[in-house]
Amino acid sequence: MKTIFTLILLLSVTTMTWGQSLAYKTLLKGVYDKNFPTVTPEDLSALERAVFLDTREKEEFEVSHLQDAIWVGYDSFSIESVKNLPKDQPVVVYCSIGARSQDIGKKLQEAGFDKVYNLYGGIFHWVNEGYPVFDQTSETQKVHAYSKSWGIWLNKGEKVYN
């Protein structure tokens, strides 16, 4: 019984200190390619001059996005949309949780970009950790939650579905 209590306490403290449930971490572990680099919001300060590419669909981006992010989309993504980016500049790709952005990140690597990182946990983790998002004019609390089933992972902000 003492061992079970200790395990529950440890899991609770881990979740409180990093803000994610064990279920969310498990989901991400199953989605991510372990050989594709990720970067957490806390680690971004180490990436000078990084450009952020939003790989969600346009309607998701228009609800909110990371400040100064460039929309490149997923279904409509084209390498042409990033032709003006230097291939040695750090690039951070993101989507809702990181699955779509990892796919786009791999395309960028295949095109010769050598410093591509997937934002760990995507915009959901970003918002859940208290980092700001923006619409076309200012900071907002709204986040496109993709779908009701995916929206369960967004714990902060105002969920938008359309």
Side-chain angles (χ1 to χ4, degrees):
M1 184 69 165
K2 187 176 182 179
T3 305
I4 292 172
F5 176 75
T6 304
L7 181 60
I8 291 171
L9 181 62
L10 179 63
L11 288 173
S12 298
V13 170
T14 302
T15 299
M16 287 187 299
T17 59
W18 208 42
Q20 287 185 341
S21 70
L22 182 58
Y24 191 63
K25 290 178 189 177
T26 303
L27 168 73
L28 296 180
K29 189 174 183 178
V31 169
Y32 290 167
D33 177 340
K34 66 180 178 178
N35 295 318
F36 194 88
T38 60
V39 62
T40 65
E42 298 80 18
D43 296 333
L44 285 173
S45 60
L47 294 177
E48 291 184 35
R49 303 181 316 115
V51 62
F52 291 86
L53 301 181
D54 191 312
T55 67
R56 299 172 303 151
E57 295 308 317
K58 189 71 166 178
E59 65 185 15
E60 296 170 86
F61 177 82
E62 288 174 350
V63 170
S64 67
H65 49 269
L66 276 58
Q67 190 170 27
D68 299 324
I70 300 168
W71 177 76
V72 295
Y74 182 74
D75 289 333
S76 60
F77 176 76
S78 167
I79 284 295
E80 277 296 303
S81 66
V82 295
K83 69 180 178 184
N84 294 329
L85 292 179
K87 292 193 175 180
D88 63 344
Q89 183 173 12
V91 175
V92 177
V93 291
Y94 74 92
C95 62
S96 296
I97 67 161
R100 293 177 286 175
S101 52
Q102 179 177 261
D103 289 346
I104 299 300
K106 288 178 179 182
K107 290 179 182 182
L108 292 168
Q109 286 178 331
E110 290 168 6
F113 288 84
D114 58 358
K115 296 175 185 166
V116 182
Y117 305 88
N118 195 6
L119 181 62
Y120 182 83
I123 198 169
F124 288 4
H125 178 64
W126 180 269
V127 171
N128 287 343
E129 291 296 304
Y131 292 94
V133 291
F134 298 82
D135 59 20
Q136 303 306 323
T137 59
S138 61
E139 188 172 335
T140 183
Q141 295 300 308
K142 294 180 180 180
V143 180
H144 196 289
Y146 189 69
S147 70
K148 298 253 185 206
S149 58
W150 286 106
I152 64 170
W153 304 112
L154 182 63
N155 300 320
K156 292 187 179 175
E158 180 185 331
K159 297 175 189 178
V160 174
Y161 303 97
N162 53 335

